[in-house]
Amino acid sequence: MSQIRLKIAIQKSGRLYEDSVQLLKECGIQLRNVKDRLRTEADNFPLEVFFLRDDDIPQYVEDGVADIGIVGENVLQEKNKKAFVVEALGFGKCRLSLAIPRAEEYEGVQSLQGKKIATSYPFILQEFLKEHNVTADIHEISGSVEIAPGIGLADMVADLVSSGSTLFMNGLKEVETILESQAVMISNIALSSEQELILQKLLFRIRAVKKAQKNKYILLNAPNDQLTQIIGLLPGMKSPTVLPLAIEGWSSVHSVLSEDTFWDIIEQLKEAGAEGILVVPIEKMIV
């Protein structure tokens, strides 16, 4: 009997493709040649990969053609398909925002009443307007949304924003965030028990990779008379590891620091007398 494989759909090109393939690689999953292919399999994990247009991924997952998929939250909400999020992945971050000509003043959501708004996300925009009891004329455009006000097609746009440079170059300014988005893993609502088991194994690996990305391994030398203070600054996963050095009166301290608090704690460690501080990236972190 053939081995059961979990089928995953990822973007075949575009901003999520490379990060999705890299994530699987960091999870130790070896994919056969992925260049210019629409389908491939992993050699060392029961996973089959489909490379699809991002707009199609929610439909494939709802239909069960793919069991899971990696897609932007913006696409998932716009397509409004029956698939649910099993993990936020932390990459591909952007936002769907309203933008107006820079010379104009924005007076809040109610000022959108009766306006013409160009967007590639009519469903999300309509839900947003409905939530605020606003009626506007939505113009659906598949690309180059930001030029719509300049050519007289619309008064404003609802478009994806990362840095905001594209809006700026087209004379627009961001005034309202409709949706914060990132890449998420979605799943079909009716996986078999075997597929669910494979998914949980995959999620275990993904979470170990994500945890590692958010933390740093730190090694430092500390005078013994300052150990209590230094250890108090290093919570670690349970508590720091302390080993005696060959030089009397000194110890080596090993711990893990969160990326969010890293620099503040490093400064405090130096002030407390820590020396020879080494910072090492973590490949995987299992807690």
Side-chain angles (χ1 to χ4, degrees):
M1 190 169 73
S2 61
Q3 181 188 34
I4 293 175
R5 289 181 175 270
L6 193 69
K7 296 173 289 187
I8 181 172
I10 66 176
Q11 196 176 44
K12 67 179 180 180
S13 61
R15 64 191 187 90
L16 299 187
Y17 166 78
E18 289 187 4
D19 286 334
S20 299
V21 172
Q22 181 64 25
L23 176 62
L24 295 179
K25 181 179 178 181
E26 291 175 354
C27 288
I29 296 172
Q30 299 171 1
L31 298 180
R32 298 170 193 172
N33 181 27
V34 299
K35 186 174 177 58
D36 299 324
R37 299 189 66 176
L38 299 179
R39 175 186 169 277
T40 190
E41 294 181 351
D43 290 323
N44 61 343
F45 192 85
L47 194 69
E48 184 176 355
V49 184
F50 299 148
F51 298 98
L52 306 171
R53 291 179 63 254
D54 59 344
D55 287 353
D56 294 335
I57 291 175
Q59 182 71 65
Y60 273 68
V61 172
E62 180 187 283
D63 292 344
V65 176
D67 304 310
I68 60 174
I70 296 177
V71 69
E73 287 177 287
N74 54 303
V75 174
L76 178 62
Q77 290 202 24
E78 178 62 29
K79 296 305 177 182
N80 194 30
K81 300 299 180 182
K82 293 178 182 177
F84 66 96
V85 175
V86 293
E87 188 75 12
L89 299 177
F91 59 83
K93 291 185 177 180
C94 62
R95 56 196 178 275
L96 180 64
S97 294
L98 287 168
I100 65 174
R102 284 205 302 271
E104 295 183 8
E105 293 295 325
Y106 181 65
E107 298 177 354
V109 178
Q110 294 305 314
S111 66
L112 304 179
Q113 186 72 34
K115 298 291 187 179
K116 296 179 181 178
I117 310 174
T119 188
S120 298
Y121 297 91
F123 178 79
I124 296 175
L125 177 58
Q126 185 59 61
E127 291 297 300
F128 174 80
L129 295 174
K130 187 186 303 182
E131 179 183 345
H132 291 86
N133 297 313
V134 170
T135 301
D137 186 6
I138 298 174
H139 288 254
E140 183 177 357
I141 301 177
S142 59
S144 301
V145 173
E146 62 277 353
I147 70 169
I151 61 176
L153 181 63
D155 301 307
M156 60 188 66
V157 303
D159 201 13
L160 287 185
V161 181
S162 293
S163 66
S165 59
T166 303
L167 292 180
F168 183 81
M169 288 187 296
N170 285 275
L172 301 175
K173 62 181 179 182
E174 188 178 0
V175 294
E176 187 91 35
T177 298
I178 297 173
L179 172 72
E180 295 281 356
S181 178
Q182 64 176 302
V184 293
M185 178 170 285
I186 60 174
S187 173
N188 180 269
I189 61 176
L191 297 184
S192 69
S193 57
E194 294 90 346
Q195 292 168 331
E196 183 63 36
L197 180 61
I198 298 170
L199 173 58
Q200 291 307 313
K201 289 181 178 180
L202 177 59
L203 289 174
F204 177 80
R205 297 189 184 195
I206 288 173
R207 288 163 185 164
V209 169
K210 286 172 56 185
K211 189 74 173 176
Q213 292 170 345
K214 294 178 180 177
N215 291 275
K216 302 292 184 185
Y217 190 75
I218 182 171
L219 305 88
L220 59 87
N221 297 329
N224 289 344
D225 60 0
Q226 297 295 322
L227 266 179
T228 300
Q229 181 181 357
I230 288 173
I231 288 173
L233 297 170
L234 292 169
M237 289 183 283
K238 288 191 180 295
S239 66
T241 300
V242 181
L243 302 171
L245 290 179
I247 301 174
E248 188 174 347
W250 285 79
S251 295
S252 175
V253 181
H254 300 209
S255 190
V256 173
L257 287 181
S258 166
E259 187 78 59
D260 295 335
T261 59
F262 175 78
W263 287 110
D264 289 338
I265 292 179
I266 289 292
E267 292 175 0
Q268 295 176 55
L269 289 170
K270 287 180 64 64
E271 292 173 0
E275 297 181 3
I277 301 173
L278 298 178
V279 180
V280 182
I282 302 172
E283 184 175 333
K284 309 287 187 297
M285 186 169 171
I286 299 167
V287 296

